[in-house]
Coordinates of all heavy atoms in Angstrom, one line a residue:
Q1 N 25.0 -1.3 22.3 CA 24.5 -2.2 21.3 C 24.4 -1.5 19.9 O 24.4 -2.2 18.9 CB 23.0 -2.6 21.7 CG 23.0 -3.4 23.0 CD 23.7 -4.7 22.9 OE1 23.5 -5.5 22.0 NE2 24.6 -4.9 23.8
G2 N 24.4 -0.2 19.9 CA 24.4 0.5 18.6 C 24.9 1.9 18.8 O 24.4 2.6 19.6
L3 N 26.0 2.3 18.1 CA 26.5 3.6 18.1 C 27.1 3.9 16.7 O 28.2 3.5 16.4 CB 27.6 3.8 19.2 CG 28.4 5.1 19.2 CD1 27.4 6.3 19.4 CD2 29.4 5.1 20.3
N4 N 26.3 4.6 15.9 CA 26.6 4.7 14.5 C 25.9 5.9 13.9 O 24.8 6.2 14.3 CB 26.3 3.5 13.7 CG 27.4 2.5 13.6 OD1 28.5 2.8 13.2 ND2 27.1 1.3 14.0
Y5 N 26.5 6.4 12.9 CA 25.7 7.2 11.9 C 25.1 6.1 11.0 O 25.7 5.2 10.6 CB 26.6 8.2 11.1 CG 27.0 9.4 11.9 CD1 28.3 9.5 12.3 CD2 26.1 10.3 12.3 CE1 28.7 10.6 13.1 CE2 26.5 11.4 13.1 CZ 27.8 11.5 13.5 OH 28.2 12.6 14.2
V6 N 23.8 6.3 10.7 CA 23.1 5.3 10.0 C 22.7 5.8 8.6 O 22.4 7.0 8.4 CB 21.8 5.0 10.8 CG1 20.8 4.1 10.0 CG2 22.1 4.4 12.1
V7 N 22.7 4.9 7.6 CA 22.1 5.1 6.3 C 21.0 4.0 6.2 O 21.4 2.8 6.4 CB 23.1 5.0 5.2 CG1 22.3 5.2 3.8 CG2 24.1 6.1 5.3
A8 N 19.8 4.3 6.0 CA 18.7 3.3 5.9 C 17.9 3.5 4.7 O 17.8 4.6 4.2 CB 17.8 3.4 7.2
R9 N 17.3 2.4 4.2 CA 16.4 2.5 3.1 C 15.1 1.7 3.4 O 15.1 0.6 4.0 CB 17.1 1.8 1.9 CG 16.2 1.7 0.6 CD 16.8 1.1 -0.6 NE 17.3 -0.3 -0.2 CZ 18.5 -0.7 -0.5 NH1 19.4 0.0 -1.1 NH2 18.8 -2.0 -0.1
A10 N 14.0 2.4 3.1 CA 12.7 1.7 3.4 C 12.5 0.6 2.4 O 12.6 0.8 1.2 CB 11.6 2.8 3.3
N11 N 12.2 -0.6 2.9 CA 11.9 -1.7 2.0 C 10.4 -1.9 1.7 O 10.1 -2.8 1.0 CB 12.5 -3.0 2.6 CG 12.0 -3.4 4.0 OD1 10.8 -3.3 4.2 ND2 12.9 -3.8 4.9
Q12 N 9.6 -1.0 2.3 CA 8.2 -1.0 2.0 C 7.6 0.4 2.5 O 8.3 1.1 3.3 CB 7.5 -2.1 2.7 CG 7.6 -2.1 4.2 CD 7.0 -3.4 4.8 OE1 5.8 -3.4 5.0 NE2 7.8 -4.4 5.1
D13 N 6.5 0.8 2.0 CA 5.8 2.0 2.4 C 5.5 1.8 3.9 O 5.2 0.7 4.4 CB 4.5 2.2 1.7 CG 4.7 2.6 0.2 OD1 5.8 2.9 -0.2 OD2 3.7 2.6 -0.5
N14 N 5.7 2.9 4.7 CA 5.4 2.8 6.1 C 4.9 4.2 6.6 O 4.7 5.1 5.8 CB 6.6 2.3 6.9 CG 7.8 3.2 6.6 OD1 7.9 4.3 7.2 ND2 8.8 2.7 5.8
L15 N 4.8 4.4 7.8 CA 4.2 5.6 8.4 C 5.0 6.9 8.1 O 4.4 7.9 8.0 CB 4.2 5.4 10.0 CG 3.4 6.4 10.8 CD1 1.9 6.4 10.4 CD2 3.5 6.0 12.3
I16 N 6.3 6.7 7.9 CA 7.2 7.9 7.7 C 7.9 8.0 6.3 O 8.5 9.0 6.0 CB 8.2 8.1 8.8 CG1 9.2 7.0 8.9 CG2 7.5 8.3 10.2 CD1 10.4 7.2 9.7
S17 N 7.9 6.9 5.6 CA 8.6 6.9 4.3 C 8.0 6.0 3.3 O 7.1 5.1 3.6 CB 10.1 6.5 4.6 OG 10.2 5.3 5.2
N18 N 8.4 6.2 2.1 CA 7.9 5.3 1.0 C 9.0 4.3 0.6 O 10.2 4.6 0.8 CB 7.6 6.2 -0.2 CG 6.5 7.2 0.0 OD1 5.5 6.8 0.7 ND2 6.7 8.4 -0.4
E19 N 8.6 3.2 0.1 CA 9.5 2.2 -0.3 C 10.6 2.8 -1.2 O 10.3 3.5 -2.1 CB 8.8 1.0 -1.1 CG 9.7 -0.1 -1.5 CD 9.0 -1.2 -2.2 OE1 7.7 -1.2 -2.4 OE2 9.7 -2.2 -2.6
G20 N 11.8 2.5 -0.9 CA 13.0 3.0 -1.7 C 13.6 4.3 -1.1 O 14.7 4.6 -1.5
D21 N 12.9 5.0 -0.2 CA 13.4 6.2 0.4 C 14.7 5.9 1.1 O 14.7 4.9 1.9 CB 12.4 6.9 1.3 CG 11.3 7.6 0.7 OD1 11.3 7.7 -0.6 OD2 10.4 8.1 1.4
V22 N 15.7 6.7 0.9 CA 17.0 6.5 1.7 C 17.2 7.7 2.5 O 17.0 8.9 2.1 CB 18.2 6.3 0.7 CG1 19.5 6.3 1.5 CG2 18.0 5.1 -0.1
F23 N 17.6 7.5 3.8 CA 17.8 8.7 4.7 C 19.0 8.4 5.6 O 19.3 7.2 5.8 CB 16.5 9.0 5.5 CG 16.0 7.9 6.3 CD1 16.4 7.7 7.6 CD2 15.0 7.0 5.7 CE1 15.9 6.6 8.3 CE2 14.5 6.0 6.5 CZ 15.0 5.8 7.8
R24 N 19.5 9.4 6.2 CA 20.6 9.3 7.1 C 20.1 9.7 8.5 O 19.2 10.5 8.6 CB 21.8 10.3 6.7 CG 22.5 9.7 5.5 CD 23.4 10.8 4.9 NE 24.2 10.2 3.8 CZ 23.8 9.8 2.7 NH1 22.5 9.9 2.4 NH2 24.6 9.3 1.8
A25 N 20.7 9.0 9.5 CA 20.2 9.2 10.9 C 21.4 8.8 11.8 O 22.5 8.7 11.4 CB 19.0 8.4 11.1
H26 N 21.0 8.6 13.1 CA 22.0 8.1 14.0 C 21.4 7.1 15.0 O 20.1 7.2 15.2 CB 22.8 9.2 14.7 CG 22.0 9.9 15.7 ND1 22.0 9.6 17.1 CD2 21.2 11.0 15.6 CE1 21.2 10.4 17.7 NE2 20.8 11.3 16.9
E27 N 22.2 6.3 15.6 CA 21.7 5.4 16.7 C 22.7 5.3 17.8 O 23.9 5.4 17.6 CB 21.4 4.0 16.1 CG 22.7 3.3 15.6 CD 22.5 1.9 15.0 OE1 21.5 1.2 15.4 OE2 23.3 1.5 14.2
F28 N 22.1 5.3 19.0 CA 23.0 5.1 20.2 C 22.1 4.5 21.3 O 21.2 5.1 21.8 CB 23.5 6.5 20.7 CG 24.3 6.4 22.0 CD1 25.3 5.5 22.1 CD2 24.0 7.3 23.0 CE1 26.1 5.5 23.3 CE2 24.7 7.2 24.2 CZ 25.7 6.3 24.4
H29 N 22.4 3.3 21.7 CA 21.6 2.6 22.7 C 22.3 1.5 23.4 O 23.2 0.8 22.7 CB 20.3 2.1 22.1 CG 20.5 1.2 20.9 ND1 20.4 -0.2 21.0 CD2 20.7 1.4 19.6 CE1 20.6 -0.7 19.9 NE2 20.8 0.2 19.0
Y30 N 22.1 1.3 24.6 CA 22.6 0.2 25.4 C 21.5 -0.9 25.6 O 21.8 -2.0 26.1 CB 23.0 0.7 26.8 CG 24.3 1.3 26.9 CD1 24.5 2.6 26.6 CD2 25.4 0.6 27.3 CE1 25.7 3.2 26.6 CE2 26.7 1.2 27.4 CZ 26.8 2.5 27.1 OH 28.1 3.1 27.1
T31 N 20.3 -0.6 25.2 CA 19.2 -1.6 25.3 C 19.2 -2.5 24.0 O 19.8 -2.2 23.0 CB 17.8 -1.0 25.4 OG1 17.6 -0.1 24.2 CG2 17.7 -0.2 26.7
K32 N 18.6 -3.7 24.2 CA 18.4 -4.5 23.0 C 16.9 -5.0 23.0 O 16.4 -5.2 24.1 CB 19.4 -5.6 22.9 CG 19.1 -6.8 23.8 CD 20.2 -7.9 23.5 CE 19.9 -9.1 24.3 NZ 20.8 -10.2 24.1
L33 N 16.4 -5.1 21.9 CA 15.0 -5.6 21.7 C 15.1 -7.1 21.4 O 15.9 -7.5 20.5 CB 14.3 -4.9 20.5 CG 12.8 -5.1 20.4 CD1 12.1 -4.4 21.6 CD2 12.3 -4.5 19.1
N34 N 14.4 -7.9 22.2 CA 14.5 -9.4 22.0 C 13.5 -9.8 20.9 O 12.5 -10.4 21.1 CB 14.1 -10.0 23.3 CG 15.1 -9.7 24.4 OD1 16.3 -9.8 24.2 ND2 14.7 -9.3 25.6
I35 N 14.0 -9.6 19.7 CA 13.3 -9.9 18.5 C 14.1 -11.0 17.7 O 15.3 -10.9 17.6 CB 13.0 -8.7 17.6 CG1 12.2 -9.0 16.4 CG2 14.3 -7.9 17.3 CD1 11.8 -7.7 15.6
D36 N 13.4 -12.0 17.1 CA 14.2 -13.0 16.4 C 13.8 -13.2 15.0 O 14.2 -14.1 14.3 CB 14.0 -14.3 17.2 CG 12.6 -14.8 17.3 OD1 11.7 -14.1 16.8 OD2 12.3 -15.8 18.0
K37 N 12.9 -12.3 14.5 CA 12.5 -12.4 13.1 C 12.4 -11.0 12.5 O 12.2 -10.0 13.2 CB 11.2 -13.1 12.9 CG 10.1 -12.6 13.8 CD 8.8 -13.4 13.8 CE 7.8 -12.9 14.7 NZ 6.6 -13.7 14.7
T38 N 12.6 -11.0 11.2 CA 12.7 -9.7 10.5 C 11.5 -9.3 9.7 O 11.4 -8.3 9.0 CB 13.9 -9.6 9.6 OG1 13.8 -10.6 8.6 CG2 15.2 -9.8 10.4
D39 N 10.4 -10.1 9.7 CA 9.3 -9.9 8.8 C 8.5 -8.6 9.1 O 7.8 -8.1 8.2 CB 8.3 -11.1 8.8 CG 7.8 -11.5 10.2 OD1 8.5 -11.2 11.2 OD2 6.7 -12.1 10.2
S40 N 8.6 -8.1 10.3 CA 7.9 -6.8 10.6 C 8.8 -5.6 10.5 O 8.4 -4.5 10.8 CB 7.3 -6.9 12.0 OG 8.3 -6.9 13.0
L41 N 10.1 -5.7 10.0 CA 11.1 -4.6 10.0 C 11.0 -4.0 8.6 O 11.2 -4.7 7.6 CB 12.5 -5.2 10.3 CG 12.6 -5.8 11.7 CD1 14.0 -6.3 11.9 CD2 12.2 -4.9 12.8
V42 N 10.9 -2.7 8.6 CA 10.6 -2.0 7.3 C 11.8 -1.2 6.8 O 11.8 -0.6 5.7 CB 9.4 -1.0 7.4 CG1 8.2 -1.8 7.7 CG2 9.6 0.1 8.4
F43 N 13.0 -1.1 7.5 CA 14.1 -0.4 7.1 C 15.3 -1.4 6.9 O 15.6 -2.1 7.9 CB 14.6 0.7 8.0 CG 13.5 1.7 8.3 CD1 13.1 2.1 9.5 CD2 12.9 2.4 7.2 CE1 12.2 3.1 9.8 CE2 12.0 3.4 7.4 CZ 11.6 3.7 8.7
D44 N 16.0 -1.3 5.8 CA 17.3 -2.0 5.6 C 18.3 -1.0 6.0 O 18.4 0.1 5.5 CB 17.5 -2.4 4.1 CG 16.4 -3.4 3.6 OD1 16.1 -4.3 4.4 OD2 16.0 -3.3 2.5

């Protein structure tokens, strides 16, 4: 479901970053989260 090097930006202050922070990471997963709205998602 996701296998990538990631670049993400915080769209609001949160537990680990401030709004506007950009960081690199990675993702690898076969699972999916059954979510249908983005209002609680803090990373672009």
